[in-house]
Amino acid sequence: MLKTLIAISMLLMSTMAHAQQGAEMDLWPSAPNTSNGDPNDLAKVTVFLPNKDVATGRAIVICPGGGYTHLAFEKEGTSWAPFFNAQGIAVVVLKYRMPHGVAQVPIEDAEEAMRLVRRMSVAWNINTEDVGIMGFSAGGHLASTIATHSKGDARPNFQILFYPVITMEQGVTHQGSRDNLLGKKPKRKHLNEYCNEQHVSGSTPRAFIALAHDDKAVSPINSISYYEELCQCKVPATLHIYPTGGHGFGSLQSFPYHYEMMLELRAWLRSF
């Protein structure tokens, strides 16, 4: 018990610490390959690097959620920097563009963010074989899309998903996210393409998945079906379903299981 209390205290200090100012940069110095029709919607990244004396070489690209209409940029993005930086992990928070029915738009942004981290590996002290992706809600769909579809320098080495949208199947998906990503009348082949539970394979990276049982916005079936597929393919995965907490808790300390969740995530990160 004493060790647990000490660990919680240390975690509190790290997560309550004031994060260094992140460095913001444009993701695409010139125009991206695919347009969403909104020239004012620009993809950017905000970079938080750990102190050199604790840096491990690990990095994580974070995709905040927001139903593919907006981004919960703080509680599902920048506010996570102290937690990861304290463990020597570099953080890159992605402001991806909204799809407006063109699914390739946010996917291109997320893949480019992964490539950017690896291109900057020397300057940012990053191990190119230890770059993960993290996503929340619709951002969890984006992160799991990258984890199941992307290849080469865009492929993550691990994934962290919080209350993710996984499937596009009617009645299980988050309808708003589906409509915004694929349009209101998507073709069956497009639905199948972005039902990410259908694309898990033995090469899918290891996963940490967390959610609340009483999530009314995104059905827990999304996470459960994804976890089942990971197990079937013998991909290392851990699934944490907390009794209460609803949807969209992110880094909020008001989430009833916030400290347990943070300890479990830290333990998982140390397991590989």
Side-chain angles (χ1 to χ4, degrees):
M1 177 62 73
L2 180 59
K3 289 183 179 179
T4 300
L5 290 174
I6 292 173
I8 291 174
S9 297
M10 292 176 64
L11 188 63
L12 273 170
M13 286 188 289
S14 68
T15 55
M16 295 288 286
H18 180 67
Q20 64 176 345
Q21 184 69 33
E24 185 184 87
M25 56 190 293
D26 290 333
L27 181 63
W28 301 99
S30 56
N33 294 328
T34 305
S35 172
N36 67 354
D38 182 356
N40 296 315
D41 186 10
L42 303 177
K44 298 178 180 291
V45 291
T46 305
V47 182
F48 300 84
L49 300 179
N51 293 330
K52 290 185 178 180
D53 57 343
V54 299
T56 63
R58 179 170 286 178
I60 188 160
V61 173
I62 301 181
C63 305
Y68 284 126
T69 63
H70 65 281
L71 299 179
F73 202 71
E74 182 178 355
K75 71 173 180 176
E76 295 178 352
T78 55
S79 65
W80 284 87
F83 171 79
F84 287 113
N85 283 176
Q87 298 172 77
I89 301 171
V91 171
V92 177
V93 183
L94 172 63
K95 177 191 173 293
Y96 54 91
R97 293 169 296 144
M98 297 300 101
H100 302 303
V102 184
Q104 196 56 31
V105 167
I107 293 170
E108 279 186 3
D109 291 348
E111 288 190 330
E112 182 63 14
M114 295 294 296
R115 295 189 189 102
L116 173 66
V117 172
R118 291 187 166 111
R119 286 200 303 270
M120 298 297 293
S121 60
V122 174
W124 294 350
N125 192 23
I126 301 299
N127 175 2
T128 59
E129 299 300 318
D130 199 6
V131 181
I133 195 161
M134 180 177 188
F136 301 76
S137 193
H141 182 267
L142 179 57
S144 62
T145 300
I146 302 306
T148 53
H149 291 65
S150 300
K151 302 183 185 306
D153 286 344
R155 180 187 178 277
N157 300 106
F158 60 93
Q159 56 181 315
I160 300 171
L161 307 176
F162 275 62
Y163 38 87
V165 178
I166 294 293
T167 190
M168 291 286 105
E169 293 291 356
Q170 195 84 34
V172 182
T173 188
H174 178 253
Q175 192 64 43
S177 296
R178 175 178 131 152
D179 291 348
N180 292 318
L181 183 69
L182 301 177
K184 294 190 183 256
K185 295 182 178 180
K187 295 181 179 179
R188 183 70 244 181
K189 67 178 182 178
H190 292 149
L191 291 175
N192 290 344
E193 180 67 14
Y194 298 109
C195 284
N196 291 333
E197 74 281 4
Q198 297 182 20
H199 298 278
V200 175
S201 70
S203 62
T204 300
R206 68 178 65 234
F208 177 99
I209 308 168
L211 65 149
H213 174 75
D214 63 349
D215 190 332
K216 304 302 183 187
V218 176
S219 169
I221 299 300
N222 284 264
S223 294
I224 294 168
S225 63
Y226 193 62
Y227 176 73
E228 288 180 342
E229 293 299 326
L230 292 167
C231 290
Q232 287 290 331
C233 293
K234 296 181 169 45
V235 175
T238 181
L239 175 65
H240 299 271
I241 304 179
Y242 301 100
T244 59
H247 187 77
F249 46 81
S251 63
L252 297 177
Q253 294 182 26
S254 57
F255 174 55
Y257 303 93
H258 173 80
Y259 301 116
E260 292 91 337
M261 177 190 72
M262 298 296 248
L263 283 172
E264 287 160 352
L265 178 53
R266 187 176 68 163
W268 181 78
L269 288 165
R270 292 182 173 185
S271 71
F272 62 95

